[in-house]
Amino acid sequence: MNPSVFIYVVDRDYGFAPNPFHGYCTLATCKPGIRNAANVGDWIVGVGGSRLKATGRCIFAMIVTRKITYNEYWSDPAYQTKIPVRNGSQVMMVGDNIYHQIEGNSEWIQVDSHHSKEDGSPNPLNIEKDTRSEYVLMSNHFYYFGTDAPTIPNQLLDAMKYKNRIGHRRFSFDQAHGLIDWIEKDFAHILNTVISDPFDFERCHERYLP
């Protein structure tokens, strides 16, 4: 099957969504439309926008190598390091493994995290948005550039007729192969590496309050 390439503007880059730490790049919160639609083999590409003063720059790119549910993410010992520790290091503070359910109960439990209220209690607005998709997209084939995000050549975006806008765009691999080829060829030497800190990493103690 011809893979899809999903592209969206990363408005906030705390290291939380996406979370490129502990050997996997994960998209576990926000972007429920992408998390529902994307499948193993598809690409997710995040580009900068005006808030980060990074319009047209590639913040991260990843192939979806695994798609699991929140409950699978929470219960798998391999991903316990992604559970946030809000009094820990910056990397620990932005953990994105924050949702699970108790067996027999459909209510979502949100642990103390970037998406909780200031006092660490659950934030219903973030819970409602995040759980529109119960899926976590994972990758062990990713590029995370953070503040060293390279500028995507204009001709590659022009060929796709891509413009930054709200929401995400979905392209066929044939439409986006130039962009993917550029990433894979020019940055093969930094595969699965966090090249630089997220743009908002110094503010990772903050909460997102919609």
Side-chain angles (χ1 to χ4, degrees):
M1 182 180 295
N2 192 21
S4 295
V5 178
F6 295 83
I7 305 179
Y8 74 97
V9 174
V10 178
D11 184 57
R12 303 163 60 255
D13 183 38
Y14 287 78
F16 180 71
N19 182 302
F21 304 115
H22 307 294
Y24 297 92
C25 191
T26 47
L27 190 61
T29 62
C30 307
K31 299 302 171 186
I34 295 178
R35 290 188 287 116
N36 275 324
N39 294 304
V40 171
D42 291 341
W43 278 86
I44 315 295
V45 178
V47 299
S50 58
R51 179 189 167 274
L52 301 181
K53 297 180 175 61
T55 301
R57 295 165 62 188
C58 181
I59 293 177
F60 83 99
M62 73 183 210
I63 301 174
V64 179
T65 55
R66 193 176 185 198
K67 182 176 182 176
I68 60 177
T69 66
Y70 278 144
N71 287 332
E72 290 171 325
Y73 194 33
W74 177 264
S75 61
D76 193 326
Y79 310 127
Q80 297 300 291
T81 54
K82 292 271 196 174
I83 296 174
V85 179
R86 290 298 292 179
N87 61 353
S89 67
Q90 288 175 292
V91 169
M92 296 167 70
M93 289 177 71
V94 295
D96 65 352
N97 190 351
I98 67 172
Y99 291 110
H100 66 284
Q101 296 164 311
I102 296 174
E103 188 173 355
N105 190 331
S106 62
E107 183 178 356
W108 288 106
I109 296 171
Q110 181 195 69
V111 301
D112 187 5
S113 65
H114 178 63
H115 269 192
S116 303
K117 292 183 178 180
E118 290 288 356
D119 63 0
S121 62
N123 185 316
L125 294 176
N126 283 331
I127 293 173
E128 191 280 327
K129 179 178 180 180
D130 290 337
T131 61
R132 290 176 194 169
S133 173
E134 66 170 338
Y135 293 107
V136 178
L137 304 180
M138 311 191 69
S139 180
N140 59 9
H141 185 113
F142 68 89
Y143 305 85
Y144 181 82
F145 302 101
T147 55
D148 281 346
T151 299
I152 301 171
N154 285 333
Q155 64 268 26
L156 298 180
L157 297 177
D158 291 345
M160 300 165 58
K161 297 181 172 57
Y162 174 81
K163 300 291 183 183
N164 278 17
R165 69 183 191 187
I166 296 173
H168 69 268
R169 299 279 303 279
R170 182 175 186 168
F171 298 89
S172 70
F173 191 82
D174 289 342
Q175 291 174 305
H177 73 88
L179 172 61
I180 300 305
D181 287 349
W182 171 71
I183 294 169
E184 291 270 69
K185 291 177 181 177
D186 283 25
F187 304 103
H189 61 291
I190 55 172
L191 180 68
N192 298 335
T193 304
V194 177
I195 300 306
S196 188
D197 286 346
F199 279 82
D200 297 308
F201 209 36
E202 291 302 317
R203 298 167 53 197
C204 64
H205 61 282
E206 297 178 359
R207 313 284 186 157
Y208 176 57
L209 306 175

